[in-house]
Amino acid sequence: MSVFDRLRNKVTKQPAFGVVGSANAAPVSTEPPPRTIKPAEYGLPTRAELIDLPSARHPLTTALLDAVDRGDRGAITAVLDAAGTNWQRRHALVKWLAIRSADDDTWLTSWLAAEPDNPAALTTYAESLSDMAFKIRTASRAEDVSSEQWEAFFRILRQVPEHCMHAAAVAPADPTPWVVLQQIALGLQYDNDAYRAVWHEVVSREPMHVQAHLAAVMYWLPRWFGSDELATAFVDDATRGKPAGTLLTQVRLQWIYFEKIPKTGAERTEFYHGPVLEAALDDALADLRAASPDHPSYPAQQHWLAYFLTMAGRYAEAYDLFKTIGPYYGARPWALANDPVSRFTGIRADAVVGWEDAGRPPLP
Amino acid sequence: MRRIFHALTVVALLLGFYVLCLGILTALIALDVVVTKADASTPALGREVAIAYLLTAAAVYVVVRGAFVSTRVRHRHIVGVMVTDRDEPALWERVRFLAQAVGTRAPSRIYLVPDVNAAVWENARLLGLIPGRRSMMIGMPLLIALTPAQLDAVIAHELGHYGNRDTRLGALDHRARGSVTAAVAAAQGRLAGRRTADGRPRRFRMPGQTVYVALFGAYAHLVLSVTQQASRRQEFAADRVAAGIAGQANAAAGLRELPAVEAAFNFYLDRYVAAGIERDLLPAPGEVLGGFARLLAEPTRQADLDPLRQDPTAETPDPFDSHPPIRDRIAAIEALPPDGRPLDTSDARALATLADPAATLAAVGARMLVNDGTARQAVDWDTLATAAGADRAARSADPLRVAVASFYQQPRPLSGFLDAVDAGQLGEILDRLPKSDGATNVKASIRAARELAKTSMRPMAAAWALAELAAQGRVRWRNSWADAGGTIEMAPDLDEKLQAALDALAAIQPDAGPMRAVVYATGVPA
């Protein structure tokens, strides 16, 4: 990769949590280059001020990472206990621990050696190994993955379930080990029945687990181990009868992004302005309004909505969300692009420009 | 009429060669005379005179040697066994019958050689103008691989070069080509059999030699291109003679078989006979060639050779080789009107013509092995396979061994590697392994890179363990004619334990204990 490739923004970025099989996910617009804006004029942070995080760090996350840096195992456990039975928060914290161990896991392995039955240590270790395996595989299409990568991928993943099971045995009420196992089940190519068995363990402990649903919908896609009918059924099931504020409408948005957007230009424009997306967006907005900003999947919902509202031409709502989002761009769908910053600023500019063109309608 | 004109041209060229040589010598002597005269009048020319005399002496040597070389292939230069008609009556009777059918003299000597070759040559004199004693060599691999009818075709073709059909004119071309090529080689100091201690052809460098060699080379080129057309025609004619005697189908089949036999024999020598050469191990004399028969008897190998038979393509075009491509020769034979003679598809091989095939195989095989005087031990095929297998395993493990040596700053055996793993330092060793192409695609942390490297480490560790076990005698390889690598033999539970030990080495938390237990069963490293 030469200097020129970098200048032409051809750097391929590896997505954060191992998005598999989505090399061509985002259809790129073939319209003329969008007009740009001066962010400051609209109360938006400039490109230089952007931060590669989904949102401002949750205080528990900050406390957790400080504890890791200090090497204070007691504090780590205390933070996790503070999350209590907020399983989704606990899952988010475990993911942060795993990210922190990506380059150097000595603190994690010594923690595990010192406390071999600590479910948090075990789950973190399992998640860390799973992350590493998917990073080795990379997000490339299957045919572009070398046999060396495949062998390492499967070899590592095969060694992980025992840690998940160990954690589950010690902390039976916690769905987190099962959520970690879910991702491994995808990697190890569990058949549908085996996957459902793992899924059942998750939802019997936390039926509204957004991240678990998002992982599962990928499994049920036709390109993975499901089919169009199975995926549709899963999404309908995930959203039906769930109270507003659970943020499960995010599952439909993600599914639409990966599966439902037409490839060709004219059909795509039609879809973006069509009833299917409109209904999904209305539901998702209502869901967001009813949700607590403390919900771990709240920022992700904002980002999905900001994207889709812009594409759907609902510029006032989109601009409003961008203002709330502020400088944070480290989330989907921007993270799936080759150049997340540009994708974020580009769509953001589209929203503002569209809002201007529409005569600056009042914001919600 | 045209043929007589052509023959006269060739004779003229050959005689002209001597004229050329004489001309060079005369010119040089004339130069000497001039220089001597000049020296007599001007004493300071002493050095130039010496140079002139030296040049002349050199020229005499080179030119005379080139001019009077014979295509005599010395008896002692032939690697093989000479067989008289007392030794091999059936073979001799066959050759005489074929010579008569072709319409030419039978050879007076037959040699059995360990090459994929069949040839008839004469110790001709004066660049082929005067015919001499005729000899023939037949390759043992051909006797092993060809049916009697196919061998008949091959021998008839060679004899056909001297056939009466074309009378001496055809033979003249053949001799001439052989002679001028030999003359050039002689001028270069490269005669058959003269080799230095390490097998390279010895070259005598005389002053001005390159000039003469260039001259001879150009002349030879001239002769060869003049005779090329005729020679090609003669090749096809010889093939027609062969087809007439052995039957069209057998002649074509014989030609198809030649590249297959050549490929098979080269493969056999390289992968089987030479397998133990680094350890100074060789097959027993009787088996050196006997093994080739066994290789050819293996059905999978016959299947491997079929593509070569169907499509004989790969030919290295030698400008001095008058043989047309085998494909063209086969096509020419198959274009002949069908003669209704059946193809010999039996299992009979020409080898059965010999009086005592086993003894002859052993005798020729023994000639193959006498070379540079290194003491080599004759062993059975299984021992060779084990030696080769152990060497191959050791070589596969080289990158890992090198990485371990780099880590310790000195070479260490397998136990050293295991010690490092026990000390939690497998990662440092993995860092030292060469990066595969796939690894560069993965922009991963050190941790992930090491996990990835375990994939290539595993087979190397396996090979290292195998080499170690082979040295202990707990793993053997059995020779397999179907598979040059041989088939590995070890106790079944040993294989299972080895796989489990490798899994433990490649695990996320590596453990060298199981491998130590497998390889050093007594617990004491070698």
Side-chain angles (χ1 to χ4, degrees):
Chain A
M1 188 200 54
S2 74
V3 170
F4 299 101
D5 284 341
R6 204 179 264 282
L7 289 175
R8 281 187 238 122
N9 290 324
K10 282 214 178 78
V11 180
T12 47
K13 175 152 174 353
Q14 305 307 329
F17 296 114
V19 177
V20 291
S22 63
N24 293 319
V28 176
S29 166
T30 52
E31 285 150 18
R35 290 130 65 189
T36 53
I37 56 163
K38 288 200 175 53
E41 287 173 16
Y42 299 95
L44 298 170
T46 60
R47 197 185 170 100
E49 293 166 326
L50 296 179
I51 302 171
D52 191 4
L53 285 175
S55 68
R57 280 228 180 106
H58 192 271
L60 280 180
T61 308
T62 313
L64 184 75
L65 295 176
D66 282 344
V68 174
D69 291 339
R70 285 197 317 270
D72 188 345
R73 284 184 208 134
I76 296 177
T77 315
V79 170
L80 289 165
D81 287 343
T85 53
N86 184 345
W87 303 124
Q88 299 193 55
R89 174 59 57 191
R90 191 182 180 87
H91 179 241
L93 292 171
V94 165
K95 286 199 102 147
W96 275 112
L97 284 179
I99 291 173
R100 191 45 76 90
S101 75
D103 288 323
D104 178 14
D105 68 341
T106 35
W107 63 269
L108 180 55
T109 45
S110 48
W111 182 21
L112 198 56
E115 300 174 47
D117 292 318
N118 185 324
L122 288 161
T123 314
T124 306
Y125 188 60
E127 175 68 30
S128 161
L129 293 177
S130 173
D131 280 353
M132 180 170 62
F134 278 95
K135 205 163 268 157
I136 286 176
R137 183 221 179 277
T138 72
S140 311
R141 286 172 303 189
E143 53 265 25
D144 296 331
V145 178
S146 74
S147 62
E148 195 191 4
Q149 287 168 278
W150 280 124
E151 205 187 302
F153 176 69
F154 288 120
R155 187 186 66 237
I156 298 169
L157 284 185
R158 275 196 294 266
Q159 299 176 65
V160 184
E162 63 166 283
H163 300 295
C164 298
M165 306 309 285
H166 188 171
V170 176
D174 187 354
T176 316
W178 297 102
V179 179
V180 174
L181 187 59
Q182 230 190 295
Q183 186 67 356
I184 292 161
L186 175 80
L188 287 177
Q189 305 177 351
Y190 278 25
D191 65 35
N192 290 1
D193 288 333
Y195 193 82
R196 280 193 196 100
V198 179
W199 176 245
H200 174 75
E201 299 290 347
V202 173
V203 290
S204 60
R205 290 167 174 78
E206 174 51 84
M208 313 292 184
H209 205 300
V210 176
Q211 292 299 313
H213 277 83
L214 293 175
V217 78
M218 300 306 287
Y219 176 90
W220 292 113
L221 291 180
R223 77 184 78 167
W224 283 103
F225 303 102
S227 68
D228 201 39
E229 295 83 18
L230 287 166
T232 312
F234 179 80
V235 173
D236 287 342
D237 206 50
T239 51
R240 189 189 318 118
K242 299 287 166 37
T246 51
L247 293 180
L248 284 166
T249 48
Q250 204 175 120
V251 181
R252 185 175 295 280
L253 290 182
Q254 175 161 299
W255 175 62
I256 286 176
Y257 184 84
F258 282 111
E259 270 309 280
K260 288 297 161 189
I261 300 176
K263 298 275 187 278
T264 55
E267 288 174 6
R268 208 186 305 144
T269 319
E270 208 184 301
F271 177 82
Y272 280 135
H273 293 93
V276 171
L277 187 61
E278 189 181 350
L281 289 176
D282 288 339
D283 288 343
L285 277 169
D287 209 358
L288 184 68
R289 272 183 229 111
S292 155
D294 198 53
H295 192 301
S297 300
Y298 190 90
Q301 184 94 349
Q302 289 176 306
H303 286 277
W304 279 118
L305 275 170
Y307 173 77
F308 273 119
L309 286 169
T310 310
M311 303 308 282
R314 292 161 68 158
Y315 300 117
E317 292 161 296
Y319 172 38
D320 187 47
L321 268 172
F322 275 114
K323 285 215 288 197
T324 321
I325 286 171
Y328 299 102
Y329 72 92
R332 291 180 181 186
W334 335 112
L336 297 169
N338 283 343
D339 182 356
V341 182
S342 297
R343 189 105 178 101
F344 177 78
T345 53
I347 302 291
R348 187 178 66 171
D350 286 347
V352 172
V353 164
W355 178 67
E356 281 278 16
D357 286 350
R360 297 194 169 211
L363 301 179
Chain B
M1 189 59 218
R2 212 159 135 266
R3 262 201 293 162
I4 294 178
F5 180 71
H6 172 82
L8 285 174
T9 315
V10 176
V11 172
L13 277 174
L14 292 175
L15 286 175
F17 182 75
Y18 288 98
V19 170
L20 174 70
C21 294
L22 211 58
I24 293 175
L25 290 177
T26 316
L28 281 171
I29 291 172
L31 180 68
D32 284 345
V33 169
V34 166
V35 167
T36 315
K37 276 221 182 93
D39 184 49
S41 48
T42 323
L45 277 178
R47 204 183 50 167
E48 281 73 10
V49 171
I51 289 173
Y53 285 170
L54 202 62
L55 272 177
T56 311
V60 167
Y61 179 81
V62 170
V63 167
V64 164
R65 199 169 64 181
F68 288 101
V69 75
S70 66
T71 50
R72 183 198 311 267
V73 181
R74 298 237 174 333
H75 174 88
R76 63 173 179 277
H77 294 147
I78 296 177
V79 178
V81 168
M82 189 182 83
V83 291
T84 64
D85 62 2
R86 264 201 315 278
D87 298 324
E88 299 289 351
L91 181 67
W92 268 97
E93 192 190 308
R94 195 77 199 147
V95 170
R96 286 199 183 103
F97 165 77
L98 289 172
Q100 192 186 42
V102 166
T104 186
R105 264 188 300 142
S108 52
R109 285 196 176 179
I110 296 184
Y111 294 88
L112 295 177
V113 297
D115 298 314
V116 179
N117 200 1
V120 176
W121 73 94
E122 292 194 357
N123 294 336
R125 286 188 289 279
L126 280 188
L127 287 181
L129 284 171
I130 301 175
R133 185 175 59 204
R134 191 174 286 182
S135 309
M136 162 180 264
M137 66 162 79
I138 306 175
M140 290 301 287
L142 292 179
L143 283 161
I144 293 171
L146 300 180
T147 63
Q150 287 169 351
L151 188 67
D152 280 352
V154 169
I155 294 176
H157 170 94
E158 295 303 320
L159 289 168
H161 285 298
Y162 296 89
N164 264 348
R165 233 55 61 90
D166 256 321
T167 67
R168 281 185 215 83
L169 306 176
L172 178 65
D173 280 273
H174 194 69
R175 277 192 220 106
R177 293 174 71 87
S179 301
V180 296
T181 318
V184 173
Q188 288 175 327
R190 193 161 36 109
L191 276 179
R194 289 241 186 102
R195 287 175 188 276
T196 57
D198 55 359
R200 274 182 294 110
R202 187 178 289 146
R203 289 177 187 261
F204 296 103
R205 286 241 166 272
M206 291 271 148
Q209 180 166 348
T210 16
V211 177
Y212 303 129
V213 167
L215 264 175
F216 285 170
Y219 205 84
H221 212 99
L222 178 64
V223 172
L224 288 170
S225 45
V226 164
T227 53
Q228 175 87 336
Q229 272 279 61
S231 197
R232 286 254 151 148
R233 270 201 310 272
Q234 206 212 20
E235 290 288 345
F236 285 117
D239 278 337
R240 277 196 300 277
V241 165
I245 290 174
Q248 183 196 24
N250 291 313
L255 279 181
R256 279 192 197 283
E257 202 63 30
L258 290 180
V261 178
E262 168 129 29
F265 193 60
N266 288 337
F267 177 81
Y268 167 73
L269 290 177
D270 184 42
R271 303 296 299 277
Y272 285 93
V273 175
I277 208 133
E278 276 166 43
R279 298 195 189 194
D280 290 334
L281 298 175
L282 282 173
E287 278 300 310
V288 175
L289 286 169
F292 187 54
R294 292 185 217 279
L295 179 76
L296 289 179
E298 186 68 41
T300 50
R301 295 298 190 189
Q302 288 296 328
D304 289 340
L305 293 173
D306 275 338
L308 286 171
R309 294 182 184 115
Q310 315 304 357
D311 188 17
T313 39
E315 297 228 7
T316 44
D318 182 350
F320 293 162
D321 181 9
S322 66
H323 282 104
I326 289 213
R327 218 165 1 141
D328 296 348
R329 292 171 64 186
I330 295 173
I333 290 182
E334 286 175 345
L336 291 171
D339 55 13
R341 291 171 61 180
L343 175 70
D344 182 358
T345 52
S346 69
D347 283 337
R349 294 287 176 267
L351 189 66
T353 320
L354 298 178
D356 185 351
T360 315
L361 284 172
V364 180
R367 289 282 199 284
M368 283 174 78
L369 304 178
V370 174
N371 230 323
D372 46 12
T374 315
R376 295 212 168 95
Q377 196 191 349
V379 294
D380 62 276
W381 287 113
D382 286 336
T383 311
L384 269 179
T386 298
D391 283 343
R392 215 169 37 244
R395 262 197 309 276
S396 310
D398 268 345
L400 182 59
R401 220 203 309 262
V402 166
V404 171
S406 155
F407 172 74
Y408 279 113
Q409 305 277 327
Q410 54 167 312
R412 296 294 299 273
L414 179 61
S415 54
F417 173 57
L418 300 178
D419 289 339
V421 173
D422 278 339
Q425 298 187 296
L426 176 59
E428 276 87 349
I429 293 179
L430 291 172
D431 290 342
R432 288 168 160 80
L433 284 177
K435 300 273 174 289
S436 68
D437 293 333
T440 51
N441 291 339
V442 181
K443 295 163 190 39
S445 57
I446 297 179
R447 201 170 140 242
R450 287 176 177 176
E451 274 303 316
L452 188 57
K454 283 182 187 170
T455 305
S456 39
M457 177 215 75
R458 195 182 194 280
M460 293 179 199
W464 203 352
L466 275 184
E468 181 60 44
L469 290 169
Q472 294 174 13
R474 289 160 65 194
V475 162
R476 288 168 37 94
W477 277 263
R478 202 156 273 287
N479 185 58
S480 160
W481 296 114
D483 181 355
T487 38
I488 199 166
E489 256 191 3
M490 63 168 104
D493 69 314
L494 178 57
D495 192 16
E496 271 173 41
K497 288 199 193 115
L498 185 59
Q499 296 307 317
L502 290 166
D503 287 340
L505 268 182
I508 309 224
Q509 308 277 38
D511 181 8
M515 181 62 85
R516 212 184 278 283
V518 166
V519 177
Y520 304 111
T522 58
V524 177

